[in-house]
Amino acid sequence: MTPPAELSRAVTHYLSVADRLAPGLVTGCYVVGSAALGDWRPDMSDIDVVAVVGRTAGERELRRLSLLHKLGNLRAAGRALARRLPHLPGTVNAVFVAAGDLGEPVTRIRPVASHSGPRFRRGQGFDVNPVMWKVLREHGIAVRGPAPATLGLDPEPSSLRSWTLDQLRGHWARYAARALSDRPPRRRLQSPYRLALGYALSPPRLHRTVVTGEVISKEEAGAYALDTFDTRWHPLLQLALAHRRGVPGPALDPSEVPRLTGEFIHEVIATLPDRRSR
């Protein structure tokens, strides 16, 4: 798959900054996430990459990787400011993995570091998980390094379903509970309304993975949710899809959207099959 030109430029620039900060450290780079699934939107989506580290990253290199997140994404921040966007689309979020660990079962891999949004974490990285490793192996876009299929990746398919169930019944159940509270979650530069719309398609996406073993895009998750769940959720789902596409959608009270999203997530979780069923 050939990535959009704007995405390619962003990742190429990010890698050029990485090479200046820590020459020879990043030996591989693979685009995953929405871009790998054909659902990347320039004015909405971040860019998720798995970066391969070719040597041991010491204290100096870790400090340089922390700086990379800031310097490598200055262009994205500048474009968002120029367009007066309330978020920072085009930001490159990376998880760094040692080259020698790529062949390990994914749940045994300890990332070198990761950065997402404003946070840089050493020894952590959420995207090293069965879902993302499946996307990397089957759909990952090589910007630097050999094809993903040649890396010897082990996404642990036997763990895919249980890991996804844990995400829905853990992280997403907690988000739903907070969305139904008097103080729904928000993120820097994003209101609870915008955050809820951005999150509404993720739980049905995971629901589809639990039911079928497939990993689909958020756009496909919207279509799946419209076909699978009660019609009372259609206005919320149509608004979430319209928000993602940057077009007008159904009129809903913005103050009600977080609550509706929380209720919808509860329904998604309630319809999950039993952990033991297949």
Side-chain angles (χ1 to χ4, degrees):
M1 175 182 173
T2 302
E6 188 171 344
L7 183 147
S8 294
R9 286 193 296 270
V11 178
T12 299
H13 171 71
Y14 177 87
L15 287 173
S16 70
V17 176
D19 292 341
R20 290 197 298 271
L21 289 173
L25 181 65
V26 178
T27 58
C29 182
Y30 301 88
V31 177
V32 290
S34 60
L37 294 171
D39 192 27
W40 186 74
R41 299 187 176 274
D43 290 333
M44 179 61 62
S45 304
D46 292 340
I47 303 170
D48 299 315
V49 304
V50 175
V52 180
V53 174
R55 63 174 184 266
T56 301
E59 181 62 29
R60 179 179 181 274
E61 282 81 7
L62 288 170
R63 289 198 301 268
R64 293 299 178 93
L65 291 180
S66 177
L67 185 59
L68 170 62
H69 185 46
K70 303 176 180 68
L71 297 182
N73 287 306
L74 282 178
R75 287 185 178 180
R79 284 194 301 271
L81 184 61
R83 298 175 188 176
R84 298 183 179 180
L85 296 174
H87 54 297
L88 302 177
T91 297
V92 177
N93 295 313
V95 60
F96 300 90
V97 177
D101 290 342
L102 286 175
E104 294 293 320
V106 64
T107 59
R108 299 182 192 173
I109 297 174
R110 184 186 181 193
V112 173
S114 66
H115 57 68
S116 179
R119 297 182 179 180
F120 177 80
R121 297 179 175 91
R122 301 180 179 207
Q124 300 180 52
F126 175 77
D127 280 348
V128 179
N129 64 59
V131 167
M132 195 60 76
W133 243 230
K134 178 178 172 68
V135 172
L136 173 58
R137 188 172 70 174
E138 297 178 2
H139 305 284
I141 302 170
V143 181
R144 176 180 292 178
T150 69
L151 297 176
L153 302 172
D154 180 5
E156 292 185 85
S158 62
S159 299
L160 178 67
R161 190 170 184 272
S162 61
W163 185 89
T164 307
L165 281 168
D166 287 343
Q167 286 298 302
L168 282 163
R169 291 172 172 157
H171 169 79
W172 286 106
R174 290 191 295 272
Y175 171 82
R178 290 186 60 198
L180 292 168
S181 72
D182 293 335
R183 299 183 66 183
R186 65 179 303 146
R187 292 173 63 181
R188 183 182 298 182
L189 303 179
Q190 287 195 6
S191 66
Y193 165 76
R194 290 188 63 87
L195 186 63
L197 286 182
Y199 280 0
L201 302 178
S202 293
R205 183 184 184 191
L206 295 176
H207 188 283
R208 172 67 172 264
T209 299
V210 170
V211 173
T212 69
E214 300 172 281
V215 178
I216 60 175
S217 70
K218 288 185 178 179
E219 187 86 12
E220 292 171 317
Y224 170 74
L226 288 169
D227 287 341
T228 303
F229 300 101
D230 193 89
T231 56
R232 66 192 173 111
W233 305 115
H234 284 194
L236 172 67
L237 293 166
Q238 290 163 350
L239 182 59
L241 284 168
H243 171 72
R244 182 165 180 78
R245 296 165 182 162
V247 299
L252 290 177
D253 182 347
S255 66
E256 287 294 297
V257 167
R259 179 185 61 79
L260 288 171
T261 302
E263 292 175 350
F264 172 61
I265 293 172
H266 277 315
E267 174 144 327
V268 171
I269 295 171
T271 63
L272 287 167
D274 183 84
R275 182 183 293 271
R276 293 164 295 181
S277 64
R278 294 287 176 181

